[in-house]
Amino acid sequence: MAGHSSGDPGGLIVGINVTPMVDVVLVLLIIFIVTAKIIVTPAVEMDLPEASTAGEVQVVLSVIVPERGATLVDGEPLAGDDDLVRRAAAVRARSPQVRAVIHADGEVAHRRVIATIDALQRGGVYRVAFATLAPAPAPEATP
């Protein structure tokens, strides 16, 4: 046995083989890294507008308004504005301080974004923020 001081199985263990444990930990680390990348990546490709004052916002109710297709709330597609009102009211009932973050594609019509805000307000959600991208850093001029 690889941990015994002599060939006697009843002898004292003088060392522990940690290679299997390291292998398992590395596999779990890889799984967590891959999973985290999938969770952070949005499911819908969007061209978000840039803002100079973009900041972190506590996301409780995530509303995605893509250029084409149904509006998504927390990753689930909605049938229409009435469905959004029901979902917003349900979340508001659980958490009175609920905040909604709207991820609207840059090509979405203004009236569709306003309709989304109106539906959230009818559901009792009055704290609304917009997701934006931070502007790309300007290239430094070389003398």
Side-chain angles (χ1 to χ4, degrees), residues 84-85 88 114-128:
L84 178 57
V85 172
I114 295 300
T116 301
I117 294 171
D118 286 343
L120 287 168
Q121 289 179 346
R122 284 185 307 205
V125 177
Y126 297 101
R127 294 181 177 193
V128 178

Side-chain angles (χ1 to χ4, degrees), residues 9-114:
L12 294 174
I13 297 176
V14 293
I16 298 175
N17 188 359
V18 295
T19 304
M21 182 183 70
V22 170
D23 290 343
V24 169
V25 169
L26 288 176
V27 168
L28 288 175
L29 181 65
I30 291 170
I31 290 172
F32 287 137
I33 290 172
V34 170
T35 304
K37 181 65 177 166
I38 291 171
I39 290 172
V40 172
T41 305
V44 179
E45 289 288 328
M46 286 193 283
D47 179 24
L48 292 175
E50 293 184 358
S52 60
T53 59
E56 293 295 320
V57 177
Q58 178 185 4
V59 176
V60 175
L61 188 64
S62 176
V63 181
I64 298 175
V65 185
E67 182 180 4
R68 292 183 195 91
T71 300
L72 302 161
V73 173
D74 291 335
E76 297 177 15
L78 299 177
D81 285 345
D82 292 335
D83 200 12
L84 178 57
V85 172
R86 283 191 294 276
R87 289 285 301 271
V91 172
R92 172 100 164 91
R94 288 191 310 259
S95 174
Q97 298 298 324
V98 65
R99 293 180 181 168
V101 177
I102 298 176
H103 302 262
D105 191 280
E107 300 300 318
V108 172
H110 183 70
R111 78 178 68 235
R112 186 168 172 201
V113 176
I114 295 300

